[in-house]
Amino acid sequence: MTITKLDLTRHLSDTMGLTAKECAALVNAMFDTIRATLASGEDVKLSGFGNFILHEKRARPGRNPKNGEPFEIKARRVVTFRASQLVRERC
């Protein structure tokens, strides 16, 4: 099962008694803050849930799987998620 922003909004609305509009704004603000923090180069730690960690990958040689031609994979930043011990125990 996939949980969407709409599911989070509805759950907040049901449990907190806020309007759907307020809950949608709250959910969007949370994700915007996470995005902005990662874009600025900082890791995000959510206590009891997990960590979003930035990794710098350097450029490296690669190969096109369709035609086998070599090319360079560009350097880039990637985000990985590491679940907390609490989440891992429940899964």
Side-chain angles (χ1 to χ4, degrees), residues 18-36:
L18 301 171
T19 67
K21 202 173 207 177
E22 291 171 330
C23 292
L26 187 64
V27 169
N28 285 328
M30 182 186 77
F31 284 111
D32 288 343
T33 302
I34 291 172
R35 270 190 227 101

Side-chain angles (χ1 to χ4, degrees), residues 1 3 8-9 11 13 38 48 59 65 67 81 91:
M1 180 176 144
I3 296 177
L8 292 173
T9 300
H11 181 73
S13 181
L38 290 169
N67 56 22
F81 176 74
C91 293

Side-chain angles (χ1 to χ4, degrees), residues 46-82:
L46 301 174
S47 180
F49 184 67
N51 300 326
F52 293 94
I53 303 165
L54 282 171
H55 292 284
E56 299 285 337
K57 290 197 164 192
R58 55 191 169 93
R60 64 187 198 277
R63 190 172 298 277
N64 184 333
K66 268 190 174 177
N67 56 22
E69 289 182 26
F71 72 100
E72 183 178 327
I73 299 171
K74 296 178 182 176
R76 64 191 191 278
R77 244 190 317 194
V78 296
V79 177
T80 59
F81 176 74
R82 182 169 170 104

